[in-house]
Amino acid sequence: MESPLLKSNPGLKSALSDFEQRYGSQARSVFKLGGTGNSSFRVEFEHESVVLRLNANTAHLGVDRQQEKTIIEALQGTGITPMLRHWQPEYLVMDLIEAQTASVEAIARTLKHLHSLPVPNSLITSPPWTPLDTIRDYLQLCQTPMPRTQALAQQLTTALWTHSPYVVCHIDLNPTNILGQSDGDAILIDWEYARCGPAEYDLAVVIETHQFSPEVTDKFLAHYDNQRLSAQVSTNQFAYRIIELLWLHLTSPVDWPSTRIEAITADMQIPA
């Protein structure tokens, strides 16, 4: 008997049917896990469970599915991300990770490992990506001009510099994308925004989205062994705040109109 979830979601039904044929077994149950852009589902087979993620059409926001696949494949066997079972542009399937909250030390350790790995040749761009690229792209997508926000972006042109090497960056390290493990490690998921970029940006996103206090921030950077770059991390935190505001405007324009964004950025000051 077909579940109400499959009846109401033809995309899920099609993707699950395709994977079942490849897997050689029929799923016993499917549960919705959530997701702010994509939709993820827990799929239970007789002897194991996996996560099936339906990919949203978000290329205009900087999502590159092929690049995500390249990065996930490059990270297989490193312990940084779950095993990839199947990928195609419409959906992907990965091992299910029973997660808990990751510790500050575990997040720092995983990021240091990630940033030490070789960058796949297909990710190397010239010039390399910086947060400014996403800010400018998002501003161009906005239907209403935002002069205050544009002025801040212009100021960031001189404030954002880096002496650190460009590395594989996750870019979207909010708490839902970092899974703590019972062995003390952390695993990262949802690599759709990932690219080659400055390591400081990943550190900045973790600090912002986890709302670390100054004391916890110092502890986090010490475990990453990157306290010497704390000034650039602060500037990247500022860049992330602008990116987040523009993303909210582009994805929820009714709740986050341009006037609201401009009112918030009017009180923002780039760190000295």
Side-chain angles (χ1 to χ4, degrees), residues 143-196:
Q143 299 296 315
T144 306
M146 299 188 199
R148 172 58 186 168
T149 309
Q150 290 174 330
L152 281 177
Q154 186 60 38
Q155 294 174 41
L156 274 172
T157 302
T158 55
L160 272 176
W161 56 268
T162 179
H163 289 306
S164 65
Y166 280 76
V167 299
V168 175
C169 285
H170 184 285
I171 304 297
D172 190 23
L173 289 169
N174 67 74
T176 63
N177 289 336
I178 303 177
L179 310 179
Q181 301 294 284
S182 58
D183 61 4
D185 288 334
I187 286 182
L188 311 181
I189 62 171
D190 285 351
W191 296 81
E192 58 190 0
Y193 290 97
R195 62 194 70 207
C196 176

Side-chain angles (χ1 to χ4, degrees), residues 107-126:
I107 298 172
R109 188 166 57 247
T110 296
L111 280 186
K112 188 172 183 179
H113 183 191
L114 171 66
H115 295 161
S116 71
L117 297 175
V119 178
N121 289 335
S122 61
L123 265 64
I124 298 174
T125 59
S126 183

Side-chain angles (χ1 to χ4, degrees), residues 1-42:
M1 181 177 178
E2 187 174 83
S3 71
L5 184 61
L6 292 176
K7 285 182 178 180
S8 63
N9 194 326
L12 171 61
K13 181 178 179 180
S14 175
L16 181 58
S17 175
D18 179 70
F19 183 68
E20 284 176 332
Q21 292 180 29
R22 299 172 185 276
Y23 186 75
S25 180
Q26 189 171 11
R28 301 176 66 178
S29 55
V30 182
F31 303 94
K32 195 172 191 324
L33 296 175
T36 55
N38 307 306
S39 297
S40 295
F41 303 86
R42 177 182 180 131

Side-chain angles (χ1 to χ4, degrees), residues 83-103:
M83 179 184 292
L84 178 66
R85 294 299 192 91
H86 181 64
W87 178 94
Q88 60 186 59
E90 296 78 19
Y91 77 94
L92 63 75
V93 179
M94 303 189 79
D95 278 356
L96 175 72
I97 302 297
E98 301 289 356
Q100 56 193 33
T101 302
S103 68

Side-chain angles (χ1 to χ4, degrees), residues 62 65 112 175 224:
R65 301 294 178 193
K112 188 172 183 179
Y224 182 87

Side-chain angles (χ1 to χ4, degrees), residues 35-40 53-61 63-65 68 88-92 192-193 247 251:
T36 55
N38 307 306
S39 297
S40 295
R53 191 191 75 190
L54 294 180
N55 295 328
N57 184 17
T58 48
H60 64 294
L61 296 174
V63 170
D64 187 326
R65 301 294 178 193
E68 179 183 31
Q88 60 186 59
E90 296 78 19
Y91 77 94
L92 63 75
E192 58 190 0
Y193 290 97
W247 186 90
T251 57

